[in-house]
Amino acid sequence: MVYVGIDLGGTNIAVGVVSEAGSILAETGAKTLAERPYQAIIRDMADLVKKAVSKARLTLSDVKSIGIGIPGVAGDDGVVFNCTNLGWVNVPLRAEMQKYIQKPIFIDNDANAAALAESVAGVSAGCKSSVFITLGTGVGGGIIINGKPFSGGHGRAGEIGHMTLVPDGVPCTCGRNGCVERYCSATALIRSARQECSNYPDTAILQKAGGSVDRVNAKMVIDAAKEGDASALRVFNSFARYLAMTISTITWFFDPDMIVLGGGISYAGQFLLDAVKPWIPPCQAFEKLPLPRLELATLGNEAGVVGAAMLGKQ
Ligand SMILES: [Zn+2]
């Protein structure tokens, strides 16, 4: 039997047929065109599932279940109650999907799905416990305990992005202030870089952006920092310090075997790990205990599809 995984994003829908071991056998995808009614999007998702299955030279009878990773939160009843990027509120995703394909359908947050993928077929495979942090436009998180995602009592466990990092800090999209997401996301890195550009217009960041502050992106900041540009290093090291504080909090609270960094910022690779680690000093009270291993995600874009598929294996 195989599993189908759907990575539903605000821009793209990716669908894959995935083996028991977590490898992709066939893939397909399409633009989400999120402004359409949800019925049209879900119908496309069902068509893509059929297309992916036939691409793998299989039929729907070979499919055990379908898993869907969404950029939001769904209830046990398969209703997506909030998905900002898609403008979805109370969308009956499972029921709508089962109009086209009568299979068990599992829905979870995309960060939980990516966390699960890494724990099945990626860097955290074999770990008893791990926490996955996505550093992208926002900050997401997924907790895996004994091979299973842990979503908490109400579905918000692992929403690392909205832990408070700075009291009365930068306002967040969630309506509160000073959330991790406002300091540890690509958006945050770009915000501080733009500030730095106006204070130090000779920075390499601004050169890479063709002199336009509005064109600064995270890659430009990371590349300039790697080249040793003083402004970029200031911005990146401050970012790394906030991330290290977040990692420390996770360590004290949950002490997982491994913490995995994924998402767009993990593009920085070893440079990111090297910047973060010095800000996580061992604590004297527990100095003999090892810290959780800090690693980079290895599955990249595949994680969404593989993890969604593996939701059905739990
Ligand atoms: Zn927030």
Side-chain angles (χ1 to χ4, degrees):
M1 295 295 271
V2 295
Y3 301 85
V4 171
I6 305 175
D7 184 9
L8 173 62
T11 311
N12 292 300
I13 304 169
V15 177
V17 177
V18 176
S19 72
E20 288 274 346
S23 53
I24 295 179
L25 307 174
E27 267 184 295
T28 187
K31 292 270 175 237
T32 311
L33 306 175
E35 63 285 355
R36 297 181 296 163
Y38 72 80
Q39 291 91 340
I41 296 172
I42 296 170
R43 191 181 171 153
D44 275 4
M45 286 161 64
D47 286 343
L48 289 168
V49 169
K50 290 172 187 164
K51 200 170 149 191
V53 169
S54 72
K55 223 173 153 182
R57 296 165 191 266
L58 298 166
T59 66
L60 280 176
S61 58
D62 299 305
V63 174
K64 199 162 179 189
S65 62
I66 296 171
I68 309 173
I70 57 164
V73 187
D76 290 337
D77 54 2
V79 176
V80 178
F81 48 84
N82 194 357
C83 207
T84 323
N85 290 345
L86 295 167
W88 285 11
V89 177
N90 292 324
V91 168
L93 175 55
R94 182 186 293 142
E96 190 69 22
M97 192 74 180
Q98 281 176 334
K99 285 185 188 169
Y100 306 103
I101 301 173
Q102 291 76 43
K103 290 280 173 186
I105 292 173
F106 301 88
I107 306 166
D108 208 333
N109 176 265
D110 51 8
N112 286 351
L116 181 59
E118 291 291 342
S119 86
V120 171
V123 67
S124 51
C127 278
K128 264 167 57 186
S129 58
S130 59
V131 170
F132 180 90
I133 310 177
T134 51
L135 306 166
T137 310
V139 173
I143 300 170
I144 303 292
I145 303 173
N146 295 324
K148 292 188 190 327
F150 177 78
S151 313
H154 316 88
R156 70 167 88 84
E159 286 289 340
I160 294 161
H162 299 289
M163 300 193 307
T164 303
L165 192 55
V166 179
D168 303 318
V170 178
C172 184
T173 51
C174 72
R176 299 185 307 130
N177 288 69
C179 295
V180 164
E181 188 163 288
R182 301 278 67 87
Y183 299 88
C184 299
S185 60
T187 315
L189 191 68
I190 294 164
R191 187 191 67 232
S192 351
R194 284 179 177 160
Q195 184 68 50
E196 187 76 18
C197 286
S198 48
N199 296 340
Y200 302 92
D202 58 341
T203 166
I205 304 172
L206 205 51
Q207 283 166 27
K208 288 180 191 298
S212 162
V213 172
D214 295 336
R215 285 175 54 196
V216 169
N217 63 31
K219 184 175 181 293
M220 293 170 187
V221 184
I222 293 165
D223 289 344
K226 283 182 176 176
E227 288 162 16
D229 177 75
S231 285
L233 279 170
R234 243 188 323 267
V235 170
F236 193 74
N237 285 331
S238 160
F239 171 92
R241 189 177 186 185
Y242 282 122
L243 180 57
M245 286 168 70
T246 306
I247 289 168
S248 283
T249 303
I250 294 168
T251 301
W252 294 115
F253 179 68
F254 185 59
D255 190 24
D257 293 304
M258 189 185 289
I259 295 174
V260 182
L261 303 180
I265 299 285
S266 65
Y267 155 82
Q270 189 62 40
F271 186 69
L272 174 65
L273 299 183
D274 290 344
V276 168
K277 280 180 180 169
W279 295 112
I280 313 176
C283 167
Q284 287 181 357
F286 296 93
E287 64 182 345
K288 292 208 167 61
L289 293 181
L291 289 165
R293 278 173 62 198
L294 185 63
E295 301 284 350
L296 298 164
T298 53
L299 295 178
N301 289 337
E302 282 187 5
V305 163
V306 172
M310 293 295 106
L311 290 171
K313 214 184 147 186
Q314 302 310 304

